[in-house]
Amino acid sequence: MSPRLPAVDALFERFTQGVQPGCAVGVIRDGALVHAAGYGFADTARGEGIDADTVFNIASTSKQFTAFALLLLARDGLLSLDDSVRKHIPELPAYAEAVTLRQLMHHLGGLRSYIDLLLLGGRTFAERTTRENALRVIGRQRGFDDVPGHAFAYSNTGYFLMSLVIERVSSRTLAD
């Protein structure tokens, strides 16, 4: 059972009345988790409640942190923004044109959307995608949606690859 603080439960009690969107709350004090709870519903139409273990898709809110972590590694001289992504992820195919970390950061990499590729392969949004699944489908692509550096195209693929580079170069998880 997750730790609970009655005062925090009281603050979020209004989310426990009826079927309504809610939230998950974690409180850390002196490095220790002292409260973990969910209140209300993650999906009101399907009646899916929120608890301390509910996984949320935070989508693109993590991109700013990914870019910042990459910039910190560049500042510290551990990589260059002009490195080819293949320097750090050699299992990617040898593209006709190099795709740089800078291009990935600015959504100019030209790489195909791994999400679209997975959906075309029969997966659904409801299925959880592993890092291995995503890297596998990206690695099978030999071509581009556009020439790298040529046109802006919002790219989850680029940021996924940047997260792998960060973890490999720093030997730490992106969450750390």
Side-chain angles (χ1 to χ4, degrees):
M1 174 124 174
S2 299
R4 304 286 288 251
L5 296 172
V8 176
D9 281 336
L11 286 172
F12 290 93
E13 183 178 356
R14 67 186 171 105
F15 290 102
T16 64
Q17 310 304 315
V19 178
Q20 62 177 316
C23 61
V25 177
V27 178
I28 297 174
R29 182 181 297 142
D30 298 324
L33 182 65
V34 296
H35 182 90
Y39 307 92
F41 288 81
D43 187 328
T44 57
R46 293 191 291 202
E48 293 177 10
I50 298 174
D51 64 26
D53 297 316
T54 299
V55 176
F56 293 92
N57 181 355
I58 62 169
S60 293
T61 58
S62 62
K63 283 185 174 62
Q64 62 192 317
F65 300 102
T66 305
F68 187 64
L70 195 75
L71 289 169
L72 289 174
L73 293 172
R75 179 202 66 189
D76 293 346
L78 298 172
L79 57 76
S80 167
L81 295 181
D82 296 315
D83 286 348
S84 165
V85 66
R86 286 197 72 242
K87 177 178 180 180
H88 305 284
I89 309 175
E91 59 265 49
L92 292 175
Y95 300 119
E97 299 203 28
V99 178
T100 68
L101 299 176
R102 184 182 310 275
Q103 289 168 331
L104 295 180
M105 187 182 332
H106 294 289
H107 300 281
L108 297 169
L111 298 173
R112 295 179 178 137
S113 166
Y114 77 89
I115 297 169
D116 289 346
L117 294 167
L118 290 168
L119 292 172
L120 284 170
R123 296 183 66 91
T124 67
F125 277 113
E127 294 176 88
R128 191 166 190 178
T129 301
T130 66
R131 299 157 59 86
E132 294 76 22
N133 293 44
L135 187 55
R136 188 176 313 111
V137 74
I138 295 166
R140 287 196 306 255
Q141 301 305 304
R142 301 294 184 251
F144 298 102
D145 276 345
D146 207 334
V147 176
H150 181 258
F152 177 90
Y154 192 84
S155 178
N156 289 311
T157 298
Y159 272 75
F160 167 72
L161 292 173
M162 286 169 46
S163 73
L164 292 180
V165 170
I166 291 162
E167 291 182 354
R168 290 178 181 189
V169 169
S170 70
S171 299
R172 298 176 68 186
T173 67
L174 187 56
D176 288 343

